[in-house]
């Protein structure tokens, strides 16, 4: 049974002034955080992140990848605050206040509070497997992060009044994606008007427009460093330093000089490589399947104790059954050692002992077997295969083929076969990611000096993608956003800002771009250890692919067989 430990929060003395704090970090070297951020870090809600592995179950495959969400959150806070301060310093016409910068930094600090044990594994593997099909809405770590933020400010002894109002707290929750942007935050004024339109701040921590944000800039570099693979080929600090806020698509947005297009592409390439070689590693998926099965078996025997004596199940932590998040606050990666300890008791239930055996098999590298995989062309991909129900149906169809074959597994148990859809892309599905990024031409220094509403009136309109925003056939384009105009005035009286555009020259550059931006494949695993069943599953998988014309013309076999690693 999980029991919430009594936690005493030491209140700050009225005579003690909160201080800033310096942290030493493997990626960013020195991180300086403000007094309010330091007080938030010292709460039990934030300290819990020390027990949540950043890469979850991947550390069973990459032994050095043991960094945690605590470290990542500090790194994102550092980058978020630095980027907001950069815009505040270099573009005073944006009228960013110190409170705006603080809100962005706090959003970076708090954005991952809602992660469960083993990070994304909890959200994408365990919760869907543990919750009944008729359960209500899906667990979302961003939504739980917003609730944890409320818990910190409502239950701790932190006095936020010198720094934040309730409107600012709402803004922070919107920045981390726990609630949609709204006018109540006070940052979505007249579109495209400097000082009123601060919507670009929503693109710093969790960018809904292009996907290029400080969350990814930190974990791409951090994960590759600690896992020891996929060295990133971009300079995050240079990209941040050269970025400007410009008018694009009718709003102020974060944009980059055209000369950085290749480096921006490298960010998205790093995402592809990390998913390919780390996050969706085949052996890591085998570990995930076994851990998920173990926790589903053990869950009825590991109730979570709430204040007042009520008990809930693991998958109910963070849901409506846990309104105050007292249960969720108890969750960490220590759930696996707890499972083993409970299973070692003389009166342990059979399912709990079976769960412990699965964990021990992971430790001994006696994993579920990899049957093989088939690469899917875009036209062959059935959308239903992306769902858990669709993948279970594929497993059932392959199992039926096995049962119909002589000696192919007539006594095959349910869930012996497991199907996983592997999708690796540049962050925008099968689209070119550069099509979602706005650029400006830094060689043309002329500032946009028109009235609001003039943007987009000409044929070189920002965001149209049909011409260069500084071509002279419409609105004038770019400068560096710091008031250097065309020699006639500095452009600040009417809020001069850069004009940006979608650069088709780079979007269509065949020299740099891959043939496809997304790869999809179906992977099949089998839980049974018998070699004859493994071979029967491979034959049945091949037959299933043949029946659906997934093999190319002239290709006798399209199922790529797994070569078991030497350490298994």
């Amino acid at each position: 049974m999980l029991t919430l430990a009594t936690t005493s929060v030491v209140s700050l003395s009225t005579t003690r002034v909160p201080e800033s704090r310096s942290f030493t970090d493997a990626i960013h070297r020195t991180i300086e955080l403000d007094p309010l951020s330091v007080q938030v870090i010292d709460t039990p809600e934030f300290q819990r992140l020390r027990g949540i592995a950043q890469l979850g179950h991947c550390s069973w495959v990459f032994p050095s990848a043991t960094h945690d969400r605590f470290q990542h959150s500090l790194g994102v806070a550092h980058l978020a605050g630095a980027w907001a301060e950069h815009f505040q310093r270099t573009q005073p016409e944006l009228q960013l206040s110190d409170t705006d910068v603080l809100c962005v930094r706090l959003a970076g600090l708090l954005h991952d509070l809602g992660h469960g044990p083993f990070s994304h594994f909890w959200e994408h593997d365990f919760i869907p497997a543990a919750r009944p099909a008729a359960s209500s809405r899906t667990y979302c770590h961003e939504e739980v992060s917003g609730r944890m933020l409320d818990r910190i400010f409502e239950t701790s002894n932190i006095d936020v009044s010198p720094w934040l109002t309730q409107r600012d707290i709402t803004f922070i929750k919107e920045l981390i994606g726990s609630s949609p942007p709204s006018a109540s935050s006070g940052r979505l004024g007249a579109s495209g008007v400097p000082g009123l339109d601060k919507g670009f701040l929503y693109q710093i921590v969790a960018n809904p427009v292009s996907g290029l944000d400080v969350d990814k800039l930190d974990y791409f570099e951090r994960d590759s460093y600690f896992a020891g693979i996929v060295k990133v080929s971009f300079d995050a600090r240079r990209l941040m330093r050269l970025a400007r806020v410009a008018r694009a698509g009718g709003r102020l947005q974060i944009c980059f000089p055209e000369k950085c297009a290749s480096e921006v592409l490298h960010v998205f390439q790093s995402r592809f490589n990390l998913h390919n070689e780390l996050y969706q590693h085949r052996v890591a998926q085998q570990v995930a399947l076994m851990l998920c099965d173990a926790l589903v078996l053990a869950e009825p025997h590991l109730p979570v104790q709430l204040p007042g004596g009520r008990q809930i199940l693991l998958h109910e932590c963070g849901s409506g059954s846990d309104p105050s998040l007292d249960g969720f606050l108890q969750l960490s990666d220590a759930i696996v050692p707890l499972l083993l300890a409970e299973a070692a008791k003389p009166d342990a239930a059979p399912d709990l002992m079976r769960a412990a055996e699965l964990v021990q098999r992971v430790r001994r590298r006696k994993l579920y077997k990899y049957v093989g995989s088939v690469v899917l062309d875009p036209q062959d991909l059935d959308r239903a295969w992306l769902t858990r129900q669709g993948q279970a149906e594929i497993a059932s169809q392959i199992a039926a083929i096995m049962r119909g074959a002589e000696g192919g597994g007539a006594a095959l148990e349910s869930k012996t076969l497991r199907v996983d859809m592997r999708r690796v892309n540049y962050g925008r599905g099968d689209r070119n990611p550069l099509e979602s990024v706005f650029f400006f031409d830094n060689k043309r220094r002329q500032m946009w000096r028109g009235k609001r509403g003039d943007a987009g009136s000409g044929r070189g309109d920002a965001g149209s993608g049909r011409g260069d925003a500084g071509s002279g056939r419409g609105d004038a384009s770019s400068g560096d956003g710091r008031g250097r105009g065309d020699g006639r005035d500095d452009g600040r009286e009417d809020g001069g800002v850069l004009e940006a555009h979608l650069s088709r020259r780079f979007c269509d550059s065949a020299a740099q771009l891959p043939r496809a931006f997304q790869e999809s494949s179906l992977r099949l695993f089998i839980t049974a250890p018998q070699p004859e069943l493994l071979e029967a599953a491979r034959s049945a998988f091949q037959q299933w692919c043949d029946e659906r014309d997934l093999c190319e013309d002239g290709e006798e076999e399209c199922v790529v067989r797994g070569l078991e690693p030497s350490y298994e």
Side-chain angles (χ1 to χ4, degrees):
M1 178 183 298
L2 294 176
T3 305
L4 181 64
T6 302
T7 305
S8 59
V9 181
V10 179
S11 61
L12 295 172
S13 169
T14 56
T15 59
R16 179 184 173 187
V17 178
E19 298 178 351
S20 301
R21 188 179 300 169
S22 175
F23 299 84
T24 300
D25 181 67
I27 303 301
H28 307 298
R29 305 308 177 199
T30 300
I31 295 176
E32 297 279 353
L33 291 180
D34 58 273
L36 180 56
S37 296
V38 169
Q39 293 181 74
V40 170
I41 288 171
D42 290 341
T43 62
E45 290 81 1
F46 192 86
Q47 289 294 317
R48 169 186 162 275
L49 294 180
R50 292 182 182 272
I52 307 294
Q54 169 78 6
L55 293 181
H57 56 280
C58 290
S59 62
W60 266 280
V61 184
F62 301 92
S64 62
T66 57
H67 54 301
D68 53 48
R69 289 281 160 182
F70 183 93
Q71 302 166 32
H72 168 60
S73 296
L74 294 183
V76 176
H78 169 69
L79 292 180
W83 215 0
E85 288 174 345
H86 164 74
F87 294 131
Q88 182 189 45
R89 181 179 63 256
T90 61
Q91 295 184 258
E93 68 275 10
L94 300 176
Q95 299 178 34
L96 292 182
S97 66
D98 291 342
T99 300
D100 292 330
V101 174
L102 176 60
C103 287
V104 172
R105 183 184 299 115
L106 284 170
L109 187 68
L110 301 172
H111 78 289
D112 272 350
L113 283 178
H115 271 298
F118 301 103
S119 294
H120 290 288
F121 162 85
W122 193 259
E123 182 173 1
H124 300 308
D125 294 278
F126 172 70
I127 292 294
R131 283 189 172 174
S135 178
S136 58
R137 61 191 180 85
T138 307
Y139 170 91
C140 173
H141 82 267
E142 289 91 354
E143 185 265 338
V144 178
S145 294
R147 293 170 57 197
M148 289 286 276
L149 182 154
D150 287 335
R151 177 188 169 103
I152 288 176
F153 291 142
E154 291 171 2
T155 64
S156 68
N157 290 338
I158 300 175
D159 179 15
V160 301
S161 59
W163 297 282
L164 304 175
T165 64
Q166 185 57 49
R167 188 174 71 170
D168 296 326
I169 294 175
T170 298
F171 178 48
I172 295 171
K173 293 168 67 175
E174 293 175 357
L175 288 173
I176 64 179
S178 67
S179 57
S182 65
S184 60
S185 68
R187 271 76 177 185
L188 295 178
S191 297
V193 178
L196 297 179
D197 181 1
K198 297 182 180 180
F200 60 89
L201 294 176
Y202 291 92
Q203 300 173 11
I204 292 181
V205 176
N207 192 336
V209 177
S210 67
L212 201 165
D213 49 54
V214 295
D215 180 25
K216 296 177 183 64
L217 292 178
D218 180 85
Y219 77 69
F220 287 173
E221 188 170 1
R222 189 175 301 275
D223 293 350
S224 64
Y225 174 83
F226 282 101
I229 62 169
V230 192
K231 303 303 181 185
V232 297
S233 56
F234 61 87
D235 187 340
R237 292 147 198 83
R238 180 174 183 268
L239 283 175
M240 291 169 57
R241 185 176 68 251
L242 295 177
R244 293 290 183 270
V245 173
R247 187 178 288 107
R251 297 202 66 94
L252 298 185
Q253 304 197 54
I254 296 177
C255 309
F256 301 90
E258 285 187 341
K259 66 180 181 180
C260 290
S262 296
E263 196 155 3
V264 170
L265 181 62
H266 290 163
V267 176
F268 296 108
Q269 287 175 330
S270 295
R271 181 193 190 279
F272 181 94
N273 293 335
L274 283 165
H275 274 271
N276 188 46
E277 300 183 35
L278 178 58
Y279 305 144
Q280 298 188 52
H281 191 280
R282 188 257 298 170
V283 181
Q285 181 60 24
Q286 292 170 261
V287 172
L289 289 170
M290 297 185 73
L291 283 182
C292 186
D293 286 350
L295 288 173
V296 170
L297 284 170
E299 184 186 30
H301 310 286
L302 299 174
V304 180
Q305 185 79 38
L306 300 182
R310 189 167 66 91
Q311 294 181 352
I312 60 176
L313 297 175
L314 290 173
H315 76 265
E316 295 177 307
C317 294
S319 69
S321 302
D322 185 23
S324 299
L325 297 176
D326 291 313
F328 189 81
L329 189 57
Q330 301 175 57
L331 298 182
S332 72
D333 295 355
I335 189 69
V336 169
L338 175 66
L339 184 161
L340 295 175
E342 292 292 320
K345 294 181 178 179
D347 58 346
D351 279 351
L352 194 57
M353 296 175 66
R354 288 175 58 201
E357 175 57 26
L358 284 172
V359 174
Q360 295 295 359
R361 282 181 57 186
V362 170
R363 290 181 168 183
R364 298 193 302 267
R365 311 300 284 185
K366 303 298 182 181
L367 305 178
Y368 293 162
K369 296 299 181 181
Y370 174 59
V371 177
S373 65
V374 58
V375 177
L376 301 174
D377 290 332
Q379 64 270 18
D380 296 329
L381 180 61
D382 188 330
R383 303 294 297 181
W385 298 349
L386 303 178
T387 66
R388 293 180 64 86
Q389 294 83 357
Q391 293 163 20
E393 179 62 25
I394 294 174
S396 298
Q397 293 166 356
I398 297 174
I401 296 174
M402 291 178 64
R403 294 189 188 98
E406 182 178 354
L412 202 68
E413 297 181 4
S414 62
K415 296 188 177 180
T416 300
L417 298 179
R418 306 293 178 82
V419 172
D420 169 60
M421 172 64 75
R422 172 185 168 274
R423 303 189 81 193
V424 180
N425 56 54
Y426 279 58
R428 312 304 289 178
D430 58 359
R431 293 171 47 209
N432 181 348
L434 293 184
E435 293 178 357
S436 300
V437 181
F438 286 96
F439 296 93
F440 59 88
D441 186 350
N442 208 33
K443 293 181 181 179
R444 295 179 173 89
R445 312 300 293 183
Q446 187 178 15
M447 293 290 293
W448 181 84
R449 297 183 295 109
K451 302 293 184 181
R452 177 175 175 248
D454 290 348
S457 60
R459 289 178 293 169
D461 134 58
S464 68
R466 291 178 294 167
D468 190 87
S471 62
R473 295 183 301 165
D475 300 324
S477 72
S478 57
D480 62 356
R482 290 177 288 184
R484 289 199 298 268
D486 59 1
R488 291 174 290 182
D489 59 59
D490 64 5
R492 291 188 184 178
E493 292 183 357
D494 54 0
V497 293
L498 290 167
E499 286 290 338
H501 59 283
L502 290 170
S503 181
R504 296 299 179 187
R505 285 183 294 167
F506 294 101
C507 290
D508 298 334
S509 174
Q512 303 180 60
L513 301 181
R515 289 186 299 174
F517 293 97
Q518 180 168 266
E519 294 180 3
S520 301
S521 60
L522 279 175
R523 299 189 292 196
L524 182 66
F525 303 90
I526 186 169
T527 63
Q530 296 92 328
E532 62 274 12
L533 286 181
L534 177 61
E535 287 302 320
R538 284 173 176 159
S539 298
F541 191 19
Q542 180 64 54
Q543 181 178 335
W544 183 89
C545 293
D546 291 337
E547 292 173 353
R548 286 154 183 80
D549 294 326
L550 298 183
C551 300
E552 295 183 4
D553 294 339
E555 192 175 31
E556 293 185 2
E557 290 189 0
C558 57
V559 173
V560 179
R561 299 193 176 200
L563 298 176
E564 298 296 332
S566 59
Y567 51 70
E568 287 188 30

